[in-house]
């Protein structure tokens, strides 16, 4: 029989043996240590990436920030003036409710356009009275001309107000203002919302449920345009909107001030009706309908919240989702 003991190369299952006469070297106890296993699994709240760990970390941030803000009596501008989006020098606010609210809140205005032979109601009377008192020039123009300058798809209801480009607030100032009033901050941040009607609806809901402001990113996001003004039904005049150069960094800055960041997503780790953070300072982040929350924003959130709905095939648009969440937070705060 042919001796193949010295030619084991390529042989399936062959094991290289040590040289004859050499003693087999052991593991030195390393195998025994490996068999002991790892240390006991940390508690959920001690794991930084677990939802319970994020809640614990956020609570610690809040407790630390609470003492700092307790002595604060006035908002401080932490980052200077916000960046201004490159827009036209002016915007047209259309619709009787929007125009009336802009004049009531003394929004800077340059011209009031009124359609000829307009049907005068109480709102139109107050619009004309406020414009006269504030010295805003009133121009009566034919309805086709008003249609042209406001856009043929705009429902202007016979009135339009020319206002300067929107001046954005600073995100940190929204929180400082709430703390200075001894109120629990409630902020809404938008991640990838491009429809001005959604922005207007969210601004309106924020004002209705006691929110302190809305944050929009500088890039890839809608700004406060005339369409957003109209959808907000004038709420944009009394609800500040801040612009964030970088949304993720802004959220981290707000977290350092003691706020909890809650993202809205259909696959959240906690359902809205089981949310335990409603009475804390919070930022509600709303993503776009198609893409949802971005990865970096999701990683920044302390919790991802989902809204329970009856059918898995249905979904809520950004404006409705924000409204439902704001209502639930306001309800829980009233109960407290």
């Amino acid at each position: 029989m042919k001796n193949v003991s010295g030619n084991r190369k390529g042989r399936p299952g062959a094991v290289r043996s040590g040289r004859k006469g050499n003693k087999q070297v052991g593991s030195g106890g390393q195998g025994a240590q490996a068999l002991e296993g790892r240390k006991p699994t940390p508690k959920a709240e001690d794991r930084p990436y677990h939802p319970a760990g994020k809640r614990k970390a956020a609570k610690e941030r809040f407790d630390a920030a609470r003492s700092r803000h307790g002595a604060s009596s006035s908002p401080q501008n932490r980052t200077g003036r916000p960046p201004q989006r490159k827009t036209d020098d002016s915007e047209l606010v259309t619709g009787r409710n929007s125009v009336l609210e802009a004049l009531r809140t003394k929004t800077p205005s340059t011209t009031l356009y009124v359609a000829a032979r307009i049907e005068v109601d109480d709102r139109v009377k107050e619009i004309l009275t406020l414009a006269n008192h504030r010295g805003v020039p009133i121009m009566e123009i034919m309805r086709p001309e008003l249609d042209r300058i406001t856009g043929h798809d705009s429902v202007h209801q016979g009135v339009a107000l020319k206002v300067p480009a929107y001046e954005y607030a600073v995100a940190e100032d929204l929180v400082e203002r709430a703390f200075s009033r001894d109120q629990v901050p409630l902020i809404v941040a938008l991640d990838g919302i491009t429809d001005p009607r959604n922005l207007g609806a969210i601004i309106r809901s924020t004002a209705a449920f006691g929110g302190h402001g809305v944050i929009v990113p500088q890039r890839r996001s809608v700004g406060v345009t005339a369409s957003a003004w109209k959808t907000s039904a004038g709420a944009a005049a009394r609800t500040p909107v801040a612009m964030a150069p970088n949304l993720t960094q802004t959220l981290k800055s707000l977290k350092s001030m003691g706020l909890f960041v809650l993202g809205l997503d259909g696959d959240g780790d906690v359902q809205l009706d089981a949310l335990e953070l409603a009475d804390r300072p919070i930022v509600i982040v709303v993503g776009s309908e198609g893409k949802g929350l971005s990865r970096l924003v999701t990683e920044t959130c302390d919790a991802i919240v989902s809204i329970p709905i009856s059918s898995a095939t249905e979904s809520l648009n950004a404006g409705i989702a924000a409204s439902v969440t704001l209502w639930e937070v306001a309800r829980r705060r009233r109960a407290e």
Side-chain angles (χ1 to χ4, degrees):
M1 180 180 291
K2 185 179 180 180
N3 185 359
V4 295
S5 61
N7 185 21
R8 290 193 173 95
K9 184 176 180 181
R11 173 182 162 187
V15 178
R16 184 183 300 275
S17 62
R19 292 183 179 179
K20 184 176 181 181
N22 290 346
K23 188 176 181 180
Q24 184 73 23
V25 179
S27 65
Q30 296 178 6
Q33 293 176 1
L35 292 175
E36 292 179 359
R38 298 181 179 179
K39 296 180 180 180
T41 302
K43 296 180 180 179
E45 61 181 15
D46 293 331
R47 284 176 268 169
Y49 295 103
H50 193 279
K54 289 185 177 182
R55 288 193 291 269
K56 179 183 178 181
K59 183 179 184 302
E60 292 174 352
R61 292 195 310 269
F62 170 61
D63 291 340
R66 193 173 188 179
S67 58
R68 296 199 304 267
H69 292 292
S72 177
S73 58
S74 61
Q76 301 176 356
N77 192 323
R78 294 174 176 263
T79 59
R81 291 180 60 83
Q84 294 298 310
R85 190 188 299 269
K86 294 181 179 180
T87 59
D88 296 334
D89 292 336
S90 61
E91 290 278 355
L92 282 175
V93 178
T94 60
R96 300 185 183 188
N97 287 334
S98 299
V99 170
L100 179 57
E101 190 65 31
L103 290 171
R104 282 176 175 173
T105 55
K106 299 181 179 180
T107 300
S109 310
T110 57
T111 308
L112 173 65
Y113 297 100
V114 181
R117 296 187 295 276
I118 185 175
E119 182 179 350
V120 178
D121 59 7
D122 291 339
R123 290 174 296 175
V124 173
K125 289 179 181 178
E126 187 173 356
I127 287 171
L128 296 174
T129 300
L130 290 173
N132 280 319
H133 286 339
R134 292 185 50 198
V136 178
I138 301 175
M139 292 187 61
E140 184 177 14
I141 59 178
M142 300 303 295
R143 189 170 290 271
E145 177 64 12
L146 186 58
D147 292 339
R148 186 189 66 79
I149 65 174
T150 59
H152 291 284
D153 57 344
S154 174
V155 183
H156 51 69
Q157 297 176 306
V159 291
L161 185 67
K162 191 174 184 179
V163 300
Y166 188 84
E167 185 173 350
Y168 294 90
V170 177
E172 289 82 357
D173 283 352
L174 304 181
V175 180
E176 294 281 6
R177 188 177 295 111
F179 277 129
S180 68
R181 297 173 181 174
D182 198 24
Q183 297 175 346
V184 182
L186 175 58
I187 311 294
V188 178
L190 309 186
D191 182 18
I193 303 296
T194 57
D195 189 343
R197 293 169 297 183
N198 270 334
L199 172 59
I202 291 172
I203 293 174
R204 189 174 185 179
S205 297
T206 302
F209 296 116
H212 297 93
V214 176
I215 301 173
V216 297
Q218 184 179 6
R219 298 178 180 178
R220 295 184 293 274
S221 175
V222 66
V224 183
T225 62
S227 179
W229 264 91
K230 181 169 179 60
T231 308
S232 74
R238 59 183 184 274
T239 303
V241 177
M243 181 176 288
N246 183 295
L247 181 59
T248 302
Q249 294 302 320
T250 297
L251 293 176
K252 290 180 178 179
S253 175
L254 298 185
K255 289 174 71 171
S256 69
M257 299 175 70
L259 274 70
F260 295 79
V261 180
L262 307 179
L264 296 185
D265 190 88
D267 297 324
D269 47 52
V270 59
Q271 289 199 342
L272 180 60
D273 53 359
L275 181 65
E276 298 178 353
L277 301 173
D279 60 332
R280 305 294 179 87
I282 57 177
V283 183
I284 300 170
V285 188
V286 185
S288 63
E289 293 182 50
K291 299 181 180 180
L293 299 174
S294 63
R295 179 182 60 84
L296 292 177
V297 169
T298 300
E299 294 175 354
T300 306
C301 292
D302 294 301
I304 304 298
V305 181
S306 61
I307 300 174
I309 55 179
S310 58
S311 175
T313 60
E314 297 296 333
S315 61
L316 304 176
N317 70 18
I320 295 177
S323 298
V324 171
T325 306
L326 286 165
W327 176 84
E328 178 64 13
V329 170
R331 185 189 68 81
R332 287 175 174 264
R333 289 187 174 185
R334 287 195 303 269
E336 292 291 333

